Amino acid sequence: MTKAEKISKEIDLLDSQYYINRELSWLEFNRRVLHEALDNRTPLLERLKFTAIFSSNLDEYFMVRVAILKEQAKEQPNQRTADGRTIEQQLLAIYQLLDPMVIEQHRHFEQVLRPAMVSQGIHLINYIDTSPEQRHYLQELFTKQIFPVLTPLAVDPSHPFPLMANLSLNLAVLVEAPHTGEEKFARVKVPNILPRFIALRQELNIENGKINHWTGVAVEQVIAHNLAALFPGMTIKECHLFRLTRDADLELAEQEADDLLLAIQQELRKRNLGGSVVRLEIQASMPQSMRQMLITEMGLVESDVYEIEGLLNLKDLMSFMALPLPELKDPSWTPVIPPRLRHFYQQNKLTNLHDEDKSIFSVIQQKDLLVHHPYESFSSSVEQFIIQAARDPHVLAIKMTLYRTSGDSEIVSSLIAAAENGKQVAVLVELKARFDEENNINWANKLEKSGVHVVYGLVGLKTHTKIVLVVRQEGEEIRRYVHVGTGNYNPKTAKLYTDVGILSCREDLGADLTDLFNYLTGYSYQESYRKLLVSPVNMRDRIIALIEREIQHCHNGHKGQIIAKMNSLVDSRIIATLYKASQAGVQIDLIVRGVCCLRPGVIKVSENIRVISIIGRFLEHSRIFQYHNNGQTEVYIGSADWMPRNLDRRVEAVIPVEDTSIRQNLQKILEIMLTDNRQAWEMQSDGSYIQRRPHQDEPEHSSQNILMEMTQKSLSNK
């Protein structure tokens, strides 16, 4: 027995001390997002954007993760996580970690970003600071456009406490009857149909003879200062803003549902108003009596309440990204056409990528094609693949999965056209894609009406894999073309998320995807695949086997190395296997954007493991896995993170990269990311992160900037 094997036997690698709490790790991820807003190297409007993203992320975190914890606290209060915490301990730790972060976010906006906006001619002013002319304009606007849509709701014995919508912004108003002196409480909702920030007319947007880029006021302040119109004859004593967050996680008894589509539609109707309140945000000025009433009526405890100084709901700051001020944003980026496709289009003098006489299939026949978004264009590659398949008279069938797509997707329109043209079209629309359920239902209905075979996923499993299969008649033969990727078939997010995908006509991949689609649409349960790693069938076992192979190489005196890039690392069994690999001497570099429950750098456990997270202008979304394999390097890409949900409760697909040049390109991407010293954060063994900075005389390396530069240079390559 080797020394490493002896150490491994002595240490319980599943001991709670070796694991980071998932919920707290996510908060550390969101702290890194917030840092982009705090970092003065980030352009001003981008800082507002990251402030908004931080708030938007928190909304979803409370609607789903905290909501689940609160439900578990009722049903399984003694349940412990891999790091040994009870549910109540997690909820308390969330508040203790998050409350200071929220305070920091709002303080930074009020004290740093808001003055910086003013210096750039962007004036978000308080109502009380408006000039008489500006105030007159806002009062007229209130009377004509705001007042008619407001509905004050009284709270008294004959008017029960009103049911309030999820994420709604509200004014808690205390009024006094002038004759009796009796005080009454009322709630006024700030309608979300109104713009959050009301811009003033150009003639009111002048300061010291100079026209500002933008001047405006938050709509809730306009309402608050004109409340007398809503309560005539009453004295307005005080008003304070608050916002609530509800449990928005759908609860589906899939096994009992006769119609999954109908069941989800019914649950969606409940989401906005039916879920229990899980968070209350209030202005810090709210008096204790009013605060206590809201806590009591909503069934909350003190740790569910977050006091805010200044504006609530900073998510709406995202609207400032629409200002035409490119100098205050990241340099614009236009994705380029992948070199081989660009050469093909130029060779055929194809200026219109939708020319149906030219085919992308001839390019794929030559060799596999790697696409890397958003550096390379989604519309000229993956979208074109589907569009041309829909139009090509030689294409017999198209099958694909849709997890999330955009409302104006040309992909969906092409699938509809293909079905109307007599092709066999089968689409698995995942109705349980969280917060995209309604959008997916609409697309599913539209597809079904046009003759597309629509499948709604498997009972008990989400279909998260990103795959397309095209069956084409070529002479006497049938050839299958495939796309396997890491990102959704969504042209909008393809400009914001980093993802990779491979277009191929390899026979074994085509056969595997045929088997996988039969599993998704029929009663097949394929247990073995030629190339694919498929969850929940064989993926977990194959991942563990690949890690253990590196361990064996080390035991045999050879080099062991793993580089893996993903969104999240949570699965305890895989983490324990990685610890075992580290003990054996395997060098492990993990690029994990979000949650990481593994502790790197622990003596005798994970000394050979390093973890970095990259947060930049693009959201890192690709999953790439590299195994040294004693010099015979293997690289895999796919849709799955190393989480229990991806390995056990979702249908996922990961493929080996067999083309040598593509494998080298993916290895280069990983190498560039590992040397990032601008947007990379190094994880510490306690779960905290330290941002990398260039050493003295060392140039700054932003992996995303480097990849943009490399892609741009490819334009000049012959």
Side-chain angles (χ1 to χ4, degrees):
M1 183 180 292
T2 66
K3 183 179 178 182
E5 288 174 318
K6 288 179 181 177
I7 292 173
S8 180
K9 287 207 167 189
E10 292 169 2
I11 297 175
D12 179 6
L13 296 178
L14 291 172
D15 192 296
S16 61
Q17 66 178 306
Y18 302 127
Y19 294 82
I20 301 289
N21 182 268
R22 169 184 171 164
E23 314 306 342
L24 302 185
S25 180
W26 186 93
L27 289 179
E28 288 296 337
F29 154 68
N30 212 28
R31 187 196 298 276
R32 299 193 292 280
V33 172
L34 177 60
H35 186 272
E36 291 298 306
L38 307 180
D39 193 333
N40 57 19
R41 295 176 296 175
T42 307
L44 178 59
L45 293 184
E46 302 291 340
R47 295 173 76 180
L48 295 180
K49 178 189 76 175
F50 278 107
T51 303
I53 292 172
F54 176 84
S55 291
S56 178
N57 286 349
L58 278 184
D59 283 349
E60 186 167 333
Y61 180 71
F62 274 92
M63 287 190 291
V64 179
R65 298 306 312 168
V66 174
I68 289 172
L69 285 177
K70 283 180 165 287
E71 201 59 38
Q72 288 175 342
K74 298 174 189 174
E75 299 171 359
Q76 301 169 302
N78 298 320
Q79 181 182 343
R80 291 183 181 269
T81 52
D83 68 311
R85 296 177 194 258
T86 65
I87 306 297
E88 289 298 336
Q89 286 172 335
Q90 289 182 82
L91 289 168
L92 180 59
I94 287 169
Y95 178 79
Q96 291 172 337
L97 184 61
L98 180 58
D99 190 51
M101 291 168 61
V102 173
I103 290 171
E104 181 181 25
Q105 177 204 21
H106 285 267
R107 182 187 296 128
H108 188 78
F109 172 69
E110 295 294 338
Q111 297 180 5
V112 179
L113 295 182
R114 222 164 162 171
M117 292 167 68
V118 171
S119 70
Q120 296 294 334
I122 306 167
H123 295 254
L124 178 57
I125 56 178
N126 291 317
Y127 190 92
I128 57 173
D129 297 327
T130 55
S131 68
E133 295 80 11
Q134 291 171 331
R135 191 167 301 190
H136 177 70
Y137 168 75
L138 291 171
Q139 286 171 341
E140 280 198 336
L141 187 77
F142 174 83
T143 302
K144 293 177 181 178
Q145 297 185 27
I146 299 175
F147 175 75
V149 299
L150 298 178
T151 305
L153 295 175
V155 177
D156 57 34
S158 62
H159 298 90
F161 194 80
L163 193 60
M164 302 181 203
N166 184 32
L167 303 180
S168 61
L169 204 55
N170 306 273
L171 285 166
V173 185
L174 192 66
V175 298
E176 181 183 89
H179 301 300
T180 65
E182 184 183 2
E183 292 184 343
K184 294 181 178 291
F185 175 85
R187 169 257 190 169
V188 178
K189 179 183 178 182
V190 179
N192 52 20
I193 59 170
L194 300 172
R196 175 69 192 283
F197 303 116
I198 297 175
L200 297 175
R201 290 199 307 253
Q202 183 170 317
E203 62 268 25
L204 300 173
N205 190 22
I206 299 174
E207 187 177 25
N208 300 323
K210 182 181 177 183
I211 298 176
N212 292 318
H213 290 304
W214 185 92
T215 301
V217 182
V219 65
E220 67 269 18
Q221 293 188 8
V222 178
I223 297 171
H225 285 86
N226 289 277
L227 283 173
L230 287 169
F231 302 97
M234 304 291 282
T235 302
I236 310 297
K237 297 285 290 183
E238 55 186 310
C239 75
H240 305 274
L241 203 64
F242 69 96
R243 182 173 183 262
L244 55 90
T245 310
R246 291 186 178 276
D247 177 352
D249 195 42
L250 296 186
E251 295 183 8
L252 288 172
E254 292 184 53
Q255 301 286 355
E256 288 79 34
D258 295 324
D259 186 326
L260 183 60
L261 180 65
L262 181 61
I264 291 177
Q265 287 174 322
Q266 290 171 344
E267 286 297 317
L268 284 174
R269 296 188 190 104
K270 301 176 189 176
R271 171 182 277 171
N272 198 35
L273 293 168
S276 58
V277 179
V278 294
R279 176 180 58 163
L280 176 64
E281 297 167 277
I282 62 172
Q283 282 184 316
S285 59
M286 181 179 286
Q288 183 61 33
S289 58
M290 190 178 283
R291 170 195 184 118
Q292 191 56 51
M293 185 194 70
L294 292 175
I295 290 174
T296 302
E297 292 289 347
M298 295 179 186
L300 301 173
V301 295
E302 276 293 334
S303 58
D304 297 323
V305 182
Y306 291 80
E307 286 187 2
I308 306 298
E309 294 278 1
L311 287 174
L312 270 66
N313 191 21
L314 296 184
K315 180 169 63 176
D316 291 331
L317 293 175
M318 186 67 79
S319 62
F320 287 103
M321 284 296 289
L323 291 175
L325 299 170
E327 67 276 15
L328 301 181
K329 303 176 187 178
D330 287 328
S332 63
W333 171 253
T334 302
V336 307
I337 301 173
R340 281 177 53 209
L341 286 179
R342 184 171 64 252
H343 177 71
F344 170 74
Y345 295 144
Q346 291 170 346
Q347 193 178 42
N348 290 281
K349 297 179 181 178
L350 186 62
T351 56
N352 179 5
L353 298 183
H354 298 268
D355 188 334
E356 59 187 354
D357 294 330
K358 305 296 181 182
S359 171
I360 196 172
F361 301 108
S362 62
V363 179
I364 301 171
Q365 287 169 18
Q366 296 167 11
K367 58 183 294 192
D368 292 355
L369 176 66
L370 172 70
V371 287
H372 190 193
H373 318 301
Y375 308 104
E376 294 176 327
S377 167
F378 177 85
S379 61
S380 67
S381 56
V382 179
E383 194 171 59
Q384 260 310 296
F385 174 63
I386 297 166
I387 290 170
Q388 290 193 27
R391 295 177 176 177
D392 190 326
H394 303 295
V395 168
L396 308 177
I398 304 170
K399 301 180 182 184
M400 74 177 297
T401 58
L402 279 179
Y403 190 73
R404 303 185 198 275
T405 191
S406 63
D408 55 354
S409 172
E410 199 166 349
I411 288 174
V412 175
S413 301
S414 296
L415 294 172
I416 291 171
E420 291 172 346
N421 290 335
K423 301 183 192 302
Q424 291 293 309
V425 183
V427 179
L428 189 143
V429 179
E430 182 47 77
L431 298 182
K432 294 165 285 184
R434 187 174 283 133
F435 302 120
D436 269 332
E437 299 96 343
E438 190 168 359
N439 184 50
N440 285 4
I441 286 171
N442 292 334
W443 278 122
N445 287 332
K446 193 170 182 180
L447 286 165
E448 210 159 28
K449 286 177 182 176
S450 68
V452 173
H453 300 295
V454 178
V455 180
Y456 298 134
L458 302 174
V459 172
L461 298 172
K462 279 188 181 180
T463 303
H464 187 249
T465 183
K466 326 296 184 184
I467 53 175
V468 180
L469 173 67
V470 172
V471 181
R472 192 168 187 259
Q473 181 78 51
E474 297 178 358
E476 298 296 318
E477 296 182 357
I478 295 288
R479 196 192 299 261
R480 289 175 283 201
Y481 295 82
V482 306
H483 173 264
V484 179
T486 68
N488 298 309
Y489 295 107
N490 186 324
K492 291 182 178 177
T493 57
K495 295 176 182 178
L496 303 172
Y497 294 9
T498 71
D499 278 300
V500 293
I502 289 177
L503 290 156
S504 174
C505 59
R506 291 181 185 269
E507 181 55 33
D508 46 13
L509 283 181
D512 270 356
L513 258 65
T514 299
D515 289 340
L516 182 53
F517 273 109
N518 288 341
Y519 168 48
L520 293 173
T521 63
Y523 289 112
S524 160
Y525 189 78
Q526 189 79 12
E527 294 189 352
S528 62
Y529 291 86
R530 300 157 190 81
K531 297 293 182 179
L532 288 184
L533 279 61
V534 176
S535 66
V537 182
N538 67 353
M539 188 178 294
R540 179 194 293 280
D541 291 342
R542 289 285 291 118
I543 291 169
I544 289 175
L546 289 167
I547 299 170
E548 288 181 336
R549 185 179 64 186
E550 296 300 311
I551 295 172
Q552 193 57 50
H553 286 314
C554 280
H555 288 334
N556 293 339
H558 303 299
K559 176 181 177 180
Q561 184 186 42
I562 298 168
I563 304 174
K565 179 180 184 294
M566 66 199 84
N567 295 335
S568 299
L569 172 55
V570 175
D571 191 80
S572 298
R573 284 178 56 194
I574 289 181
I575 291 173
T577 310
L578 290 170
Y579 286 156
K580 183 180 172 185
S582 173
Q583 291 174 329
V586 180
Q587 298 297 312
I588 302 170
D589 284 291
L590 302 173
I591 306 166
V592 185
R593 184 196 78 222
V595 175
C596 181
C597 296
L598 175 149
R599 290 187 185 271
V602 177
I603 295 173
K604 295 185 179 180
V605 174
S606 55
E607 293 169 280
N608 292 313
I609 303 178
R610 289 154 300 281
V611 180
I612 67 167
S613 169
I614 293 175
I615 306 293
R617 65 181 291 178
F618 303 131
L619 182 130
E620 290 294 338
H621 193 256
S622 56
R623 289 90 165 183
I624 309 171
F625 311 97
Q626 176 183 324
Y627 303 90
H628 183 259
N629 191 27
N630 198 24
Q632 302 297 310
T633 303
E634 291 184 4
V635 178
Y636 295 76
I637 68 164
S639 58
D641 292 315
W642 289 353
M643 302 178 72
R645 73 182 188 189
N646 297 89
L647 303 174
D648 302 326
R649 302 190 300 276
R650 289 185 172 186
V651 178
E652 307 273 14
V654 168
I655 62 166
V657 178
E658 301 195 311
D659 183 276
T660 302
S661 62
I662 292 178
R663 191 162 55 241
Q664 290 170 346
N665 283 340
L666 292 169
Q667 289 177 265
K668 182 65 175 177
I669 291 169
L670 294 176
E671 177 187 317
I672 290 169
M673 291 185 169
L674 290 174
T675 60
D676 192 309
N677 61 14
R678 169 61 181 87
Q679 275 133 351
W681 294 74
E682 289 193 14
M683 186 182 182
Q684 309 302 298
S685 58
D686 64 355
S688 65
Y689 287 76
I690 296 176
Q691 189 175 38
R692 283 184 180 173
R693 296 274 183 162
H695 298 300
Q696 190 173 9
D697 300 326
E698 181 185 19
E700 188 175 85
H701 294 287
S702 161
S703 55
Q704 294 186 353
N705 287 345
I706 291 170
L707 288 167
M708 282 190 284
E709 290 166 7
M710 287 174 57
T711 308
Q712 196 66 39
K713 284 180 182 176
S714 73
L715 288 172
S716 58
N717 293 341
K718 298 296 182 183

